[in-house]
Amino acid sequence: MTAHTFQATNPATGQPLAPAFKVTTPGELEALVTAAKDAARGFAASSPQQRADFLNAAAAGIEARADAFIEAAMQETGLPEARLRGEVGRTANQLRLFARVAADGSWVDARIDHGDPARKPAKPDVRSMRVPLGPVAVFGASNFPLAFSVAGGDTASALAAGCPVVVKAHPAHPATSELAAAAIAGAAAQVGLSAGVFGIVYEEGYELGVQLVGHPDIHAVGFTGSRRGGLAIVAAAQAREVPIPVYAEMSSVNPSVFTAAALEANGAALAKGLAASISGSGGQLCTQPGLLFVPVGEAGDAFLKDVAAKLDATPACTLLTGGILNAYQSGAAGHLKAAGVQPLTQGARPEQGAQPQLLGVPIAAFTPDLADEVFGPLSVAVRYDRVAEVTPVLAGLEGQLTATLHATDAELDGLADVLHVMGQRAGRLVLNGFPTGVEVGDAMVHGGPFPATSDGGRSTSVGSLAIERFARLRAYQDFPDRALPPELQDANPRGIWRLVDGERTR
């Protein structure tokens, strides 16, 4: 029987790319999940340092393949070399961040309440910590072939927690995915871990993804992509006999509010920064500022004219896939048909690919449909007379990854209502900056109320807190010291921070 294969497509030329990739069979997927299940106990019991060594070795493997990554990803995604070279660095840095988190070990949040047998009734000895969930499924993202894909933050955080990972490679960039998989598998072998701690599945469709989510030995899912895809995965996970958590980052238009004073003080620089934020990476970033609130009047008019001119001067973008290009053009056309909407840029030039677009609409004509995400380099500018008009519109938006305010320092006290509503609607608030560019660190939050994320903003997919998604709490009551995990033993052999009888101590 001939193996079923598929090929990626060069989005710039529409031509298939060699080589052809073998589609994983259902039997092979079953074997990968079984291997992950078999590896789970030993991996959960591995030392923090071994996990750290694993992730550090994976980071080094990514860097060693940097040129090959960039060559493959440029062909498969159409993204420019500078963007992809930065993504190689970000991916390696994420792996090293979670290596540090794993080595430190304090993320388990160990808590000890010593017992008191003399108390009436006797007080039990109770100790708790986070423990790994077990095998995790991760879906590669189309717009980040490295940083949110095979070796991305979902994989890194799950591995740091001690969870084996089975990745479904994104069909648009299998060669890039194969390189990342080789780096991770090689790192596992280098530090003596079972091959079952990592596996990868290839297919051009979604059937195996559904099978993976429904497998009883998969205990959580990480996903970055469209709302449609994310909700389908959530539905599949909830339809299981035992539902599992899905951490899906889905859609966001990332509203930005500009005050007249901010534009008068710094309009030229803001126009330059905003145009770059709208069009960078073809507008294919989950934090792209797709909804703008700009005051009427001379300052707002001049600002939008400047932004539009910069977008018109920006070369058309090659989007990640033909399907994404079609959806972009359809979404832009739909927005342009809405009552009161006017094009501020020259508009779509299909023969040149995805041309950045800026649309304008009076706030009185704004409807919720204009806040639907159009994935690509398009933004809608809503013109308002008074900032007070903006607050109820913000309050009516769906959940967002980010919300941005551009204002002078003297205005901030008077904008408390705007900031309050932004805080309710978004996971990250930005002041006098641009939401694109998500810094990887301990404090970063890349999540938000539904539908920005499927869990309502209780977690983040970027930063060290992402590890908490792939663990659960477990308590031990009245266990002898020798039978406890090292993190809960009296001597604290791993030297982690713990909460002991209400006091944080190391």
Side-chain angles (χ1 to χ4, degrees):
M1 182 177 178
T2 303
H4 184 195
T5 63
F6 72 100
Q7 291 175 266
T9 299
N10 185 321
T13 66
Q15 297 302 307
L17 293 167
F21 282 80
K22 179 179 177 294
V23 174
T24 304
T25 67
E28 289 168 337
L29 183 147
E30 181 68 32
L32 287 171
V33 177
T34 297
K37 177 186 176 183
D38 292 343
R41 181 174 178 179
F43 192 37
S46 63
S47 71
Q49 191 56 55
Q50 187 178 26
R51 290 183 215 167
D53 291 343
F54 173 29
L55 294 167
N56 281 324
I62 294 291
E63 291 172 331
R65 294 166 172 81
D67 290 342
F69 273 126
I70 290 163
E71 180 180 357
M74 285 179 69
Q75 292 190 65
E76 291 182 328
T77 68
L79 293 170
E81 179 179 352
R83 152 67 197 274
L84 291 168
R85 198 164 290 280
E87 196 172 328
V88 170
R90 172 179 172 158
T91 305
N93 288 341
Q94 284 181 152
L95 289 161
R96 291 194 174 102
L97 168 70
F98 284 105
R100 173 176 63 78
V101 172
D104 175 80
S106 299
W107 72 272
V108 300
D109 192 20
R111 298 175 178 228
I112 298 174
D113 292 331
H114 285 108
D116 182 3
R119 195 190 74 174
K120 302 299 182 183
K123 179 186 176 185
D125 184 288
V126 180
R127 306 179 184 213
S128 70
M129 61 180 286
R130 292 191 180 98
V131 297
L133 287 176
V136 166
V138 170
F139 286 71
S142 64
N143 60 336
F144 280 87
L146 281 166
F148 280 86
S149 292
V150 174
D154 287 344
T155 297
S157 54
L159 294 174
C163 296
V165 172
V166 180
V167 174
K168 182 186 179 297
H170 196 282
H173 44 75
T176 308
S177 298
E178 185 179 54
L179 287 165
I184 298 173
Q190 181 180 329
V191 301
L193 289 170
S194 165
V197 302
F198 176 80
I200 187 165
V201 172
Y202 296 94
E203 70 166 336
E204 75 272 49
Y206 56 84
E207 291 87 355
L208 288 177
V210 172
Q211 181 183 340
L212 185 60
V213 173
H215 198 290
D217 292 322
I218 292 295
H219 296 280
V221 180
F223 171 87
T224 298
S226 69
R227 187 189 307 197
R228 179 180 178 184
L231 292 181
I233 290 173
V234 170
Q238 291 300 307
R240 293 170 38 136
E241 183 176 352
V242 178
I244 57 173
V246 174
Y247 300 104
E249 185 235 291
M250 298 182 290
S251 62
S252 183
V253 293
N254 308 294
S256 296
V257 177
F258 298 81
T259 69
L263 297 181
E264 290 165 358
N266 205 25
L270 290 177
K272 180 180 180 180
L274 178 62
S277 192
I278 291 170
S279 62
S281 295
Q284 300 168 115
L285 301 175
C286 44
T287 52
Q288 189 261 9
L291 187 63
L292 317 173
F293 293 88
V294 179
V296 298
E298 292 184 8
D301 291 346
F303 172 68
L304 289 177
K305 183 178 179 180
D306 195 359
V307 174
K310 287 177 167 56
L311 292 177
D312 281 331
T314 300
C317 314
T318 297
L319 299 190
L320 293 160
T321 67
I324 289 175
L325 175 61
N326 290 339
Y328 172 74
Q329 293 173 340
S330 175
H335 276 6
L336 277 166
K337 291 177 182 177
V341 173
Q342 295 293 325
L344 303 181
T345 46
Q346 294 177 18
R349 300 196 286 275
E351 72 282 359
Q352 297 182 14
Q355 185 66 33
Q357 296 187 58
L358 180 64
L359 313 180
V361 64
I363 196 165
F366 177 81
T367 63
D369 289 347
L370 293 173
D372 288 345
E373 181 183 29
V374 176
F375 190 66
L378 179 145
S379 288
V380 177
V382 182
R383 305 301 301 274
Y384 69 89
D385 287 297
R386 297 173 294 105
V387 174
E389 295 176 294
V390 175
T391 306
V393 178
L394 290 173
L397 296 179
E398 295 182 321
Q400 306 290 327
L401 292 170
T402 74
T404 298
L405 174 64
H406 289 273
T408 64
D409 186 70
E411 294 179 289
L412 289 182
D413 290 343
L415 294 170
D417 287 347
V418 171
L419 287 169
H420 172 73
V421 172
M422 284 182 167
Q424 290 183 317
R425 306 315 305 141
R428 174 165 60 105
L429 305 185
V430 180
L431 181 64
N432 293 329
F434 300 97
T436 44
V438 182
E439 184 68 25
V440 177
D442 292 311
M444 180 51 66
V445 172
H446 190 61
F450 183 88
T453 52
S454 58
D455 72 341
R458 290 185 294 274
S459 69
T460 175
S461 62
V462 176
S464 59
L465 285 170
I467 195 172
E468 296 179 2
R469 299 173 298 167
F470 302 117
R472 66 177 179 87
L473 293 172
R474 178 189 294 160
Y476 297 80
Q477 185 168 321
D478 290 331
F479 272 63
D481 196 66
R482 69 180 186 281
L484 289 166
E487 292 87 349
L488 297 178
Q489 292 173 5
D490 286 334
N492 193 12
R494 289 187 169 156
I496 63 173
W497 284 100
R498 308 191 298 185
L499 187 68
V500 180
D501 295 329
E503 179 180 350
R504 185 69 63 182
T505 178
R506 200 161 196 166

